[in-house]
Amino acid sequence: MLISLLVSKNKGAKHDAAEKHRLAAAGEPWMRRRRRLRSWFAADKTVKHAVLEMQLDGQISTLKAPQVGDAPDPTAILSDEILLRVLAALPDSVRLSVSLVCRRWLRLAGRLRRSLTVLDWSFLHRRRLPLRFPNLDDLDLVPASFATPSDADAGVVLSKGAVSFSVDAGADPPVGECRFLEPDVIDRGLVIVASDCPGLRKLSLVALASEVGVRAVAEACDILQELELHRCSDLALRPISAFKNLQILRIVGAVEGFYSGPGVADIGLTMLAHGCKRLVKLELAGCEGSYDGISAVGQCCEMLEELTISNHRMDAGWIAALSFCENLKKLRLQSCRRIDADPGPLEHLGRCPSIQTLQMEQCQLRDKRSLEALFRVCEAVREVMFENCWGLDDDMFSLSSICRIVELVVQVLRLKEWWLGTRVGLDKIRYVRSLSLEGCSLLTTKGFESVVLSWIDLKRLEVISCNNIKDDEVSPTLTNLFSTLKEFKWRPDSKSVLAMGLSGTDMGKKGGRFFK
């Protein structure tokens, strides 16, 4: 058949040539002859395609791509237990992407999820929580408790994640406080959480609900060990005794510029103390109170080992109540504008015999009398840490020398971003083994050397970004001390780092080679 097509093509070519010669002789116009030639070329291409299709007739079926739905699932032969072990070995970021492969993988990835932050409160009412995440032990409901301002309330809304603020340009300040959901809505959500997630060990919520919702959680989640209450008040702590195994409690009364509330005073702290006697860690943020509330916590919570007080609004005299915390090992003060307005007579202050760590972060330490009272109460401390504190000058830190036991047992002292003078009274602390200086821009080489040389047990030294400590001012005695250290990091300023990098290159000598 191929030969017959070629023969017919040859005959057609001869016939067209004769026809062309005849039309030219007859004077046919050029455009008509051009259309005839174009039709002949189209017929020629049709013949070529027919020949090619005949040659590849037996191969067309092999060139077709298989359908996606026909491909078998290679993981179908694996059981859920084996696939769970494979998914458990993946990082959390990779596991999130892998869960989108199919419904089975999404279901198995949900079984591996242990902690969850809910952003939409309606997710609880749809009762999808136990189906998607059946093994949750950490649930955060705080972001979902914020209500989005409506257009009727404010024309401008400022949103940051799940939190929204109403903005009023004519008000001072222009940004209003956050709004929360209605208490009955939060109550219904907590009842759903109590029935769907009885195995929770940690729960964070806004304490706007009534006793019904909180008690439902306490009765259903009998192994709950950690609880975080935002916008807490005295009345919100009434059902706290229903949590039988509570060991870690964080109470946030108010956050400046974010939300405010009735707050937690001595009444709430007393109810907390009598209802949570097995507490090990307690954090009070934005709370009120005084000597009575802290003393009640110390007397009732005999297992309390760590106490954190953040941005407190307590009345004068609360420091004296720390002596009732006989087993307290760590005291942390964060973002406190003052320590204690009036700690009382120093000779009447008690002591914390078991305290080991005193940590102060972003605190105002300009009140000499309150700082002296704090050092007297924490005289048995072994580790002192100041980080981003203001007002801690030479005279203020010299108060640490009044603690006789501190002079003997302090082992670690960290000064981070601390504005120091030339002498800070550190030479009275004799047994420091590790020293870290960072951002101490007012500390000079002379003051640094006079203190460090008095520490005969110093084993680790770190100096970073202390611009007034100069390499050319280091004495040979201090250099010999550097050679005996086990760990040594020396970067007091950028010039020192540059000099170490250019050593042996004859660079950085201020043109001494050319301008002698």
Side-chain angles (χ1 to χ4, degrees):
M1 185 176 181
L2 178 63
I3 296 175
S4 61
L5 287 173
L6 293 177
V7 172
S8 62
K9 177 181 177 182
N10 190 17
K11 290 181 180 181
K14 290 180 180 181
H15 180 270
D16 291 339
E19 184 69 16
K20 181 179 179 181
H21 179 71
R22 185 184 66 80
L23 292 175
E28 187 179 8
W30 167 249
M31 292 301 297
R32 189 174 298 176
R33 293 196 303 266
R34 185 176 179 181
R35 284 194 297 269
R36 287 177 176 271
L37 292 174
R38 186 180 300 172
S39 63
W40 181 85
F41 279 114
D44 183 46
K45 292 182 179 179
T46 304
V47 174
K48 289 182 179 180
H49 285 298
V51 175
L52 180 61
E53 185 176 356
M54 291 170 57
Q55 292 176 349
L56 301 178
D57 187 29
Q59 305 178 14
I60 294 298
S61 60
T62 60
L63 296 178
K64 294 181 180 180
Q67 299 295 328
V68 177
D70 299 337
D73 183 9
T75 63
I77 60 176
L78 300 178
S79 62
D80 289 350
E81 289 73 15
I82 296 178
L83 197 55
L84 278 174
R85 296 180 60 182
V86 174
L87 295 177
L90 298 176
D92 294 338
S93 58
V94 179
R95 193 184 305 162
L96 180 61
S97 302
V98 168
S99 63
L100 304 177
V101 172
C102 60
R103 292 184 178 180
R104 183 192 180 196
W105 288 27
L106 179 64
R107 176 176 54 84
L108 294 178
R111 291 172 57 181
L112 296 174
R113 192 70 177 262
R114 292 293 183 267
S115 61
L116 181 67
T117 300
V118 180
L119 303 179
D120 187 3
W121 196 265
S122 61
F123 182 74
L124 300 176
H125 295 281
R126 289 195 294 264
R127 311 301 294 262
R128 298 288 299 173
L129 192 61
L131 300 178
R132 285 287 308 277
F133 312 102
N135 299 322
L136 283 179
D137 55 20
D138 182 1
L139 185 61
D140 186 2
L141 301 177
V142 176
S145 303
F146 293 104
T148 303
S150 61
D151 296 336
D153 296 335
V156 181
V157 177
L158 178 63
S159 299
K160 176 65 176 179
V163 184
S164 299
F165 302 88
S166 59
V167 179
D168 185 4
D172 186 20
V175 179
E177 291 188 351
C178 292
R179 295 182 55 189
F180 296 94
L181 298 176
E182 296 297 330
D184 57 340
V185 177
I186 298 180
D187 267 336
R188 291 195 299 268
L190 292 181
V191 173
I192 294 174
V193 169
S195 61
D196 293 347
C197 305
L200 287 180
R201 296 180 179 271
K202 179 180 179 181
L203 178 62
S204 301
L205 56 94
V206 176
L208 289 177
S210 63
E211 294 188 25
V212 177
V214 179
R215 286 190 180 276
V217 174
E219 294 174 0
C221 307
D222 53 352
I223 61 174
L224 189 71
Q225 298 179 354
E226 186 172 353
L227 182 63
E228 183 174 341
L229 300 176
H230 286 257
R231 202 182 180 276
C232 190
S233 61
D234 292 338
L235 295 178
L237 293 174
R238 291 178 59 183
I240 198 69
S241 59
F243 296 93
K244 302 299 182 180
N245 297 314
L246 195 62
Q247 298 182 4
I248 302 175
L249 178 61
R250 183 173 186 260
I251 297 177
V252 183
V255 179
E256 185 177 359
F258 193 60
Y259 61 81
S260 60
V264 177
D266 288 336
I267 297 177
L269 294 179
T270 303
M271 290 189 294
L272 182 154
H274 290 279
C276 304
K277 297 185 178 181
R278 301 183 61 182
L279 279 183
V280 178
K281 294 182 180 180
L282 175 63
E283 180 176 352
L284 304 175
C287 297
E288 302 174 2
S290 62
Y291 175 88
D292 296 333
I294 300 299
S295 61
V297 172
Q299 292 175 354
C300 297
C301 304
E302 298 179 355
M303 302 174 60
L304 187 64
E305 296 183 356
E306 182 175 338
L307 176 62
T308 301
I309 299 177
S310 176
N311 193 21
H312 73 83
R313 306 174 184 181
M314 296 186 182
D315 296 336
W318 70 271
I319 284 185
L322 292 176
S323 59
F324 290 97
C325 304
E326 297 182 355
N327 295 318
L328 188 64
K329 296 182 179 179
K330 184 175 183 179
L331 175 63
R332 180 186 300 168
L333 302 179
Q334 294 179 340
S335 303
C336 297
R337 294 183 177 180
R338 68 178 188 275
I339 299 179
D340 195 337
D342 186 11
L346 299 180
E347 59 272 11
H348 295 164
L349 294 177
R351 304 291 184 269
C352 290
S354 303
I355 192 166
Q356 299 178 1
T357 303
L358 175 61
Q359 183 176 350
M360 285 176 277
E361 301 177 5
Q362 300 179 357
C363 296
Q364 299 280 355
L365 304 178
R366 293 185 172 92
D367 188 359
K368 183 177 180 179
R369 194 161 179 269
S370 62
L371 186 61
E372 182 178 1
L374 180 63
F375 282 137
R376 284 188 178 274
V377 173
C378 303
E379 66 176 10
V381 68
R382 297 187 177 184
E383 180 178 353
V384 182
M385 181 176 180
F386 298 93
E387 185 174 349
N388 301 335
C389 295
W390 295 274
L392 195 58
D393 54 9
D394 304 351
D395 295 336
M396 298 297 290
F397 192 79
S398 63
L399 297 174
S400 61
S401 61
I402 65 177
C403 306
R404 298 185 299 271
I405 303 180
V406 172
E407 297 177 7
L408 299 176
V409 299
V410 168
Q411 296 180 353
V412 181
L413 180 64
R414 302 173 183 173
L415 313 176
K416 185 175 182 181
E417 298 181 12
W418 182 15
W419 304 99
L420 298 177
T422 55
R423 290 186 61 85
V424 293
L426 296 177
D427 52 345
K428 297 182 180 181
I429 303 177
R430 297 295 182 182
Y431 292 93
V432 175
R433 298 182 181 180
S434 177
L435 175 64
S436 175
L437 300 175
E438 183 177 351
C440 304
S441 60
L442 299 182
L443 181 62
T444 63
T445 309
K446 183 178 179 181
F448 169 75
E449 182 175 352
S450 61
V451 174
V452 172
L453 291 179
S454 64
W455 292 337
I456 58 177
D457 290 343
L458 189 66
K459 301 299 180 182
R460 298 174 179 84
L461 177 62
E462 179 178 341
V463 180
I464 300 175
S465 301
C466 301
N467 296 329
N468 282 331
I469 298 180
K470 307 297 182 181
D471 293 342
D472 51 0
E473 298 178 358
V474 177
S475 65
T477 307
L478 188 59
T479 305
N480 294 334
L481 175 64
F482 292 164
S483 61
T484 61
L485 297 176
K486 292 183 178 180
E487 296 182 11
F488 179 58
K489 188 175 183 180
W490 183 261
R491 293 181 180 176
D493 56 6
S494 58
K495 294 182 180 179
S496 175
V497 178
L498 180 62
M500 292 188 341
L502 298 179
S503 59
T505 61
D506 294 332
M507 297 178 63
K509 295 186 177 180
K510 299 182 180 180
R513 178 179 298 180
F514 302 101
F515 303 100
K516 292 183 179 180

